[in-house]
Each structure stands twice: as structure tokens, then as C-alpha cells.
Amino acid sequence: MDVTPKYVEDLHTFLRTSSVTRLSHYTKLNTIQLVNPQEAPSIPGHWMGIILLAGGGIRIMLKSFYLTSHIRALTENFYNETERILLSPNRTHDFIKEFNNLVGGALKLALDRQNLATGISLPVVTRGFDDIFSVKTDETFKYKHFWKIGLPNAYLTLVSAIQITDPTIIKNFNLKDAESVVQVKNEIETL
Amino acid sequence: MSLSSIDIQATYQIINIFENSKFHADSILDTIPHFFAVINEDGRILRGNEEVAKLLGVDLEGLIYKNIHEIFTEENWNLFKSKLVYLKEAANGKIEFQLAIGPEKTKQKSYLWNVSQLQGLKSNLSRCYSLTGKDISELEKMLTELLTAQKDIEVTAEIQNLLLPKKRHFQTPQFQMLYSYQPATKSGGDWIWHHHREQGKKEESALFLLGDVTGHGIGPAMITAIISGGCHTFAQLYAKKKLDLIKLFSTLADSLETLSENKYWMTLAALELFPKKREFRWLSAGAPPLLRLEKNGHMDLILIPGTPLGAPSPFLKEKYGKYAPGDRFFIYSDGVPELLTPDHALRQGSRMLREFLEQEKNETLEITMQKLEKLLDQARKSTPNPDDASIIMIEAT
């Protein structure tokens, strides 16, 4: 079994930390927790938000799986109870798109600080089921990692997939403190 | 604005179109009124629609990883799995079979399943199956009802056959008679009868009756049964000369009007032959005209006015005439001329029937009937909704 290189572990760590801080800030909930489950199911949720970062020999995909009811619970500080019940699926999809934008944007900024310019895709939402057809991604994105964030009864399941074609560019990166730097220097803004 | 920003905006528009299109396509799949699901090899649902969610008692988003076993009995689930083996051999990659869902025999619903194996999946999903299921329990129920109804119709047809003369061909020293009864469905609305009154050893008179109730099927068959019952009672009185035909017609008309409340009418034709005087009497309650083919080949069309039995404001006329040995009489229901023309033009069909019978004047009644029945059989095959067709052929000797 291949050992995951440290620079890949650092990227995963950055994404995990960043996802928790962004979701906490975004939802105005200070009880957001991170859980590392033992096993990832093939389809971790009914819906799936996707965002991709690419450039300079690196491609990183972030998938956020969720249920509408969980997003309604996570947004309790945004809306009153009636508004939450009536929250349309489109609004929950917008929430996830924005969340993926925030996490992807944080990573892009962190990589910029390491002098690696990357492009970021537009966030897209589709059915979680569609992930079973992502054969090419499955083959080319060698490093995969998944985790859960949220509340005990309302959470997102996140999957990161990383492809590195030129390790020399990234292997000396220092992402350990990048997330705290990003948070301090940039006020997190949500739409 | 930079060029890259314009590119991003353009790409955003395209993605938006695809995203919307995908949402709509998914929503169509979600709401189709049949069972649709994708399952893995353990029977866990990866994708399902609202019909599946309803059966499992969850909402659509709660379907993932629900076990499809839950909708089957253990026995039927094992049967379902055993069917999947045949997928490998299936020519088009699909199999179709019938299997019930539901927990108990009494609450089970029959489903028609269509299963195929999904291709091009991620490596950790070795086998996934796409399945659609259609609830055919109502269809099966209707089929059972239809089969029961068909049995009922067969029984009705058997009873109706008892109401017809036992012999298709009947002969006395004075006449020979041949009849043909061809109902449109198994049971029909036509009815035929004949009765002979004797004095000593000689035949004093012969009576031939042909009735045609509006429509065909069980309803009209029941009306013919009522009329037939009335006529059987009449036969006793007819033999004793205690009831005349006019009285019979008016009694039957009253009964039918009372019983069917003008919903069913019946045309009734009666031909009475008196061999001693070589005289005939023709009564028609709205029946097609009597055809008399004289031995010399002259065809006489005897048409008298009259209302069908059961119709309001009834009236009836009768006509007497003479006949000679070798003369032929033809009594028929309107289904006969209707069938003889492709567009069911009664007048044209009547002319065709007359011409046919004239052509056959030198043939025996048996051969003439065989040829006519063949013509009617052929016509019935190309007619979408044929009527009952009956005819009586009589030849005086």
C-alpha cells in the first residue's frame, strides 16, 4: 500500500481545518465538530456540491455531500423556524455552493502564498448518486480523504481528491499555519 | 473587465444551463409513477424515486442505502436475486419478470420488473442494477374479471343455443328449412324459432320467427331469452288455435316495453305458411323485407311497415300472398345485408343479398347457405364491429 506523502497529508489537513472554521463562521455556530469516520460509503448524501482547483501540476477536488434537512438545521441562526421549514432546495444548494467557494478560496489563497497560482472552478451542485459514474476522477485522483463536519444530527460529508503530476512544486510547501494566517488576514465574507 | 472574467461568465452561463437541465431530468425520474431504483449487489438503494420512497415509508432524500429487501418477502427476494443470474445471458442486457411485493400473500401487489446492469461505474462498485417496476395488480384483477366475464358469456351462449331450434336443417313433406345463426360475439341478440301445427297427420301450418334485439352481447341475449320464453308458451296456444300471431306480437311488445323501459327494441319477423291453400302470411315488427324467390327466378321483395317490439306508439301490418312448389322464402336480420357491404350500407347490402340469392336459384338450399356463410365469415374478419347475422331459408315442396 502506498504511503501518502506528507505534502498531501498537509493539503488534507488544511482542507479539514478550513472546512470546520468556514462552516462555523458561515453558520454562526460555535459547536461545529469534525469527525473522521472509519469508512466512506459510495454515496454519502442525496446531494453533492463540487468545486475544483487546478494549476501548476496540482488538481484538487472537493465534494460536499448533504441532505436538505441537515442544511436547514445548520442554518438555524440565519432564519427563523418558519423560514427554515420553507427553505427551498435552491437556497440550500446556494448555501453549499458558497461553502465550497469559501473552502476552495481559502486553499487557493494559501497556495498563492506559496507562490503557486491556481484557478478555481465555479461551484456546481448535482445528485450524490452521480458520483458513482466518476470513473475517470476515481482513477486519476490518487489521494482521497473524507471527513464529516457539523452537528451530531446535521452534517456534511466531505471528500477531497488530489492529483499531483509534479511533486517537486509542492513538496516543500508549508501549509501548517496557512489556515490561521488566512483567517487572521482575511475577514471571511459570505454572500 | 478582463478577458478571463468574460470567459468565466460565459462558462457560468453554460454550467447553469446544464445544472438546470440536470435538475429537471432528475425531477422527471423522481416523479414517474413507477418504481425506479439503482441498487448495488447487496440490494442497497443508491438512487430511487418517490414511488420507491413511498413503498419504504421514507422521504426521497432518506432513500440512500435503504435495503430493497424490505419491500419483498424473504422468499420473493431470493427469487429476485436468482433472476439476476440470467442477466449475463440476456441478449439485450435486460431481463423482465413478474414478482409480487408486499409482506403477506393477502396484501401483495404484482409488479412487472425490468432489470439491467449498469456499466461504467467506479471501481468500488462492482455490480449495480437499474430496475423499474410497474404495478400490474389492477391489470391482473381486471384480467381475472374479464376471464370470469368471458366464462359468463360462454354460459350465456350455451343457454342461448338451447333457445334455438335443435336442428339447423328441418324438413317436412311440405317444406324444408335451413337456418344460420352467427352472433357477433359469443352470445348475440338474434333469435330464431319455428313451429308446425298439424291436423291429423297433415301439416296445417308452419310458423317461422326471426327476432333481432338492438345491439349484441349479454344484454340483448337476455331479451331474446324473454321473447323466446313468451313464444314457447305461445306455441301451446298456437297448436290449439287459441292465440293469433297479431295477439302474440302485441303481447310481446307490451312485455318488452314494460321490462326494458324502451332501452331495448326487438325487430320480429313471422312467416306463416298454409300448405293446403298454398298461402303465406307475413308479419313484420320493423324487420327487413321478406324475400320470395319464385321457381321461375323472379325475386319478390315484400316490405310492410311496422315498429319494433318495445318501441313507443307500436303499430303492425300483415300481408297475405300465394306461393307455388319450389318457391323460396328468405327471412334475415339486418346484420346480413350490413355485412355484405364494406361500408354497411343497408340498401346496397340488401340488393347484393337479393342478387346473390337469385344467382343461386338452381343450387340446393344447403349449398346456397354454405356460400352465404362463407361470404359473411370473410366480411366479419374485415369489419371492426360486426352485428349478429341470422337467416332462415325455406323452400316449399
Side-chain angles (χ1 to χ4, degrees), chain B residues 66-135:
Chain B
K66 275 274 177 189
N67 206 321
I68 198 177
H69 308 185
E70 290 178 30
I71 64 167
F72 292 103
T73 58
E74 195 178 337
E75 186 187 352
N76 279 0
W77 173 242
N78 287 333
L79 271 171
F80 191 97
K81 282 192 293 187
S82 69
K83 300 276 184 189
L84 300 180
V85 176
Y86 298 107
L87 260 176
K88 289 175 191 167
E89 298 156 18
N92 58 358
K94 285 180 183 176
I95 51 167
E96 195 174 83
F97 56 91
Q98 196 179 327
L99 192 66
I101 66 163
E104 297 160 25
K105 288 265 181 211
T106 49
K107 289 180 183 171
Q108 285 190 341
K109 281 185 167 185
S110 192
Y111 267 64
L112 182 68
W113 298 98
N114 198 305
V115 184
S116 58
Q117 192 172 336
L118 279 184
Q119 305 294 334
L121 307 177
K122 283 163 74 171
S123 53
N124 61 343
L125 289 161
S126 53
R127 282 204 191 102
C128 284
Y129 304 98
S130 163
L131 45 123
T132 55
K134 189 175 178 183
D135 182 357

Side-chain angles (χ1 to χ4, degrees), chain B residues 301-334:
Chain B
L301 187 142
I302 302 160
L303 177 67
I304 51 171
T307 50
L309 308 183
S313 314
F315 74 94
L316 182 70
K317 299 276 180 191
E318 59 181 328
K319 189 167 187 173
Y320 285 86
K322 290 281 186 185
Y323 70 88
D327 284 2
R328 288 178 175 181
F329 293 95
F330 304 98
I331 315 167
Y332 52 93
S333 62
D334 58 3

Side-chain angles (χ1 to χ4, degrees), chain B residues 28-259:
Chain B
I28 289 168
L29 269 182
D30 288 343
T31 53
I32 53 167
H34 301 303
F35 189 106
F36 163 70
V38 174
I39 58 168
N40 66 13
E41 56 191 335
D42 300 324
R44 300 276 173 188
I45 295 169
L46 307 179
R47 165 81 163 95
N49 68 352
E50 284 172 3
E51 199 68 20
V52 184
K54 202 161 68 184
L55 282 170
L56 287 165
V58 293
D59 65 24
L60 195 61
E61 294 193 18
L63 259 183
I64 296 178
Y65 290 105
K66 275 274 177 189
N67 206 321
I68 198 177
H69 308 185
E70 290 178 30
I71 64 167
F72 292 103
T73 58
E74 195 178 337
E75 186 187 352
N76 279 0
W77 173 242
N78 287 333
L79 271 171
F80 191 97
K81 282 192 293 187
S82 69
K83 300 276 184 189
L84 300 180
V85 176
Y86 298 107
L87 260 176
K88 289 175 191 167
E89 298 156 18
N92 58 358
K94 285 180 183 176
I95 51 167
E96 195 174 83
F97 56 91
Q98 196 179 327
L99 192 66
I101 66 163
E104 297 160 25
K105 288 265 181 211
T106 49
K107 289 180 183 171
Q108 285 190 341
K109 281 185 167 185
S110 192
Y111 267 64
L112 182 68
W113 298 98
N114 198 305
V115 184
S116 58
Q117 192 172 336
L118 279 184
Q119 305 294 334
L121 307 177
K122 283 163 74 171
S123 53
N124 61 343
L125 289 161
S126 53
R127 282 204 191 102
C128 284
Y129 304 98
S130 163
L131 45 123
T132 55
K134 189 175 178 183
D135 182 357
I136 54 167
S137 53
E138 280 301 311
L139 205 66
E140 277 193 337
K141 200 173 146 192
M142 282 164 69
L143 192 66
T144 310
E145 283 171 2
L146 200 68
L147 288 173
T148 310
Q150 200 176 347
K151 281 266 179 205
D152 290 345
I153 291 169
E154 280 167 13
V155 172
T156 308
E158 275 175 35
I159 292 170
Q160 200 170 29
N161 280 332
L162 297 175
L163 306 176
L164 296 172
K166 297 281 174 287
K167 290 178 183 171
R168 195 169 161 271
H169 184 239
F170 186 83
Q171 193 161 7
T172 70
Q174 283 79 28
F175 316 99
Q176 64 161 322
M177 183 217 75
L178 200 62
Y179 81 86
S180 170
Y181 165 75
Q182 295 188 345
T185 52
K186 281 188 190 297
S187 62
D190 284 2
W191 172 73
I192 291 166
W193 192 248
H194 63 100
H195 189 78
H196 302 264
R197 186 159 65 196
E198 291 173 355
Q199 194 176 47
K201 288 187 176 177
K202 284 190 176 177
E203 186 172 15
E204 189 184 333
S205 68
L207 174 67
F208 303 92
L209 292 161
L210 193 149
D212 179 4
V213 181
T214 43
H216 44 78
I218 291 182
M222 288 179 76
I223 300 289
T224 61
I226 293 167
I227 298 298
S228 171
C231 286
H232 275 282
T233 310
F234 164 76
Q236 311 296 324
L237 300 168
Y238 179 78
K240 293 173 187 167
K241 295 186 186 178
K242 286 188 174 173
L243 188 70
D244 185 65
L245 273 177
I246 296 278
K247 184 67 182 164
L248 170 71
F249 270 59
S250 63
T251 307
L252 292 176
D254 287 347
S255 302
L256 199 57
E257 193 178 357
T258 311
L259 291 171

Side-chain angles (χ1 to χ4, degrees), chain A residues 155-168:
Chain A
Y155 51 85
L156 311 177
T157 303
L158 303 180
V159 176
S160 65
I162 297 174
Q163 180 194 16
I164 295 170
T165 51
D166 185 0
T168 56

